[in-house]
Amino acid sequence: MKVSVIATIYNERHSIERLLASLAAQTRRPDEIVICDGGSTDGAVAALRAYAAQHPDRLPNLRVLEAPGANISRGRNLAIEAAAGPIIAATDAGVRLEATWLEKLVEPWTQDEHTLAAAGWFVPDAQGVFPTAMAATVLPLRDDIDPDRFLPSSRSVAFTKTAWAQAGGYPEWLDYCEDLLFDFAINAQAPARPTGFTWAPDARVHFRPRTSLCQFWTQYYRYARGDGKADLWRKRHAIRYATYLVALPLLLGHACFGFFARWLGWLGLLAGVILYCRRPWQRLRVLGASLPPQQRLVAALLVPLIRVTGDLAKMAGYPVGLRWRWRHRAAIPNWRNDLEALH
């Protein structure tokens, strides 16, 4: 059973060796590694080739493709097209793979050769107060996941090359949220099951959360813009707008200017904050267990700030994506109809 590992990079000079070192340490070595560069200007491609030349025995089957201007979907598709393995394992630059990652990720095929795809897991590599607060705020713990509803990130996923072709590949017209549409297309190929992915939670990758509010804003703005372009999660975004533009002003107005029982407004605001941050604070008890008490308190105080920043970034990005979708409506495919055709 040959397995090809693919990844895309763009200006990952300072993090690419982390990925390569963890690939070289796999208990189940990939039969080949295909990495597609989207036009890096920081010497990432040279670093890739230098690492391969210095460690020919550790990464003997590393191939580098150069596709300047390719987005992540295009880069993945090019790498998969060039890959020889009937099974494709996808990850991202900048992550660290656990030594048993590939072994655990392809294990479902050793138990059932008709496996369509496997969903691995990812854990934050967070050190310090802000990264820990960020991880607790935006990332689920393994216990939060329902395997039958899980939509895996392509930083830890495997699938057959046939399933990828049947799905139409990654959607190259979409620059963010592309792995969600790909997940939908995989699931559509298993209509009799709740998901097309076999759960492989022990196939773990470690990645570093954003280290500043500015980076986080940009990340979530782009995610929401991708939601708008793909017409995803309408209800979620509507609830967010209603919360910030209707419910919050009403509660603040009553707390500050109400004619009676202003305390009800403050109570409502307090209850909202607690409900809003309850789950991140619970995750912080796990992820921040090694932090001193004072730092855990600071991290807990950062949680509401991070949540609000992410929500405002989404509220800014979503209409931009919707406007793009409207302007390009004649050129982009109707992916929902494509999913129906896959059933």
Side-chain angles (χ1 to χ4, degrees), residues 4-74:
S4 301
V5 172
I6 67 99
T8 61
I9 63 169
Y10 180 73
N11 288 340
E12 297 281 354
R13 170 64 182 83
H14 297 292
S15 62
I16 191 61
E17 288 191 10
R18 188 168 179 247
L19 172 63
L20 295 176
S22 61
L23 279 169
Q26 292 296 298
T27 55
R28 197 281 189 211
R29 293 288 187 92
D31 294 283
E32 68 172 343
I33 302 166
V34 184
I35 297 179
C36 184
D37 177 77
S40 295
T41 57
D42 68 343
V45 172
L48 271 171
R49 291 183 170 141
Y51 189 96
Q54 293 167 9
H55 307 280
D57 56 327
R58 301 179 70 190
L59 294 176
N61 298 316
L62 173 64
R63 300 168 58 194
V64 181
L65 308 179
E66 295 184 65
N71 63 17
I72 192 168
S73 289
R74 177 65 176 159

Side-chain angles (χ1 to χ4, degrees), residues 291-315:
L291 294 176
Q294 299 90 338
Q295 292 186 358
R296 283 204 302 271
L297 176 60
V298 174
L301 294 175
L302 284 170
V303 166
L305 177 61
I306 293 171
R307 293 220 65 175
V308 169
T309 300
D311 283 342
L312 294 179
K314 289 178 180 179
M315 291 170 68

Side-chain angles (χ1 to χ4, degrees), residues 96-109:
R96 175 175 60 84
L97 311 170
E98 291 194 2
T100 57
W101 171 73
L102 190 58
E103 176 187 344
K104 296 298 183 181
L105 191 60
V106 301
E107 194 172 78
W109 278 273

Side-chain angles (χ1 to χ4, degrees), residues 121-142:
W121 186 232
F122 50 90
V123 294
D125 191 359
Q127 299 177 356
V129 175
F130 186 86
T132 301
M134 177 67 70
T137 304
V138 303
L139 299 174
L141 297 178
R142 179 169 160 175

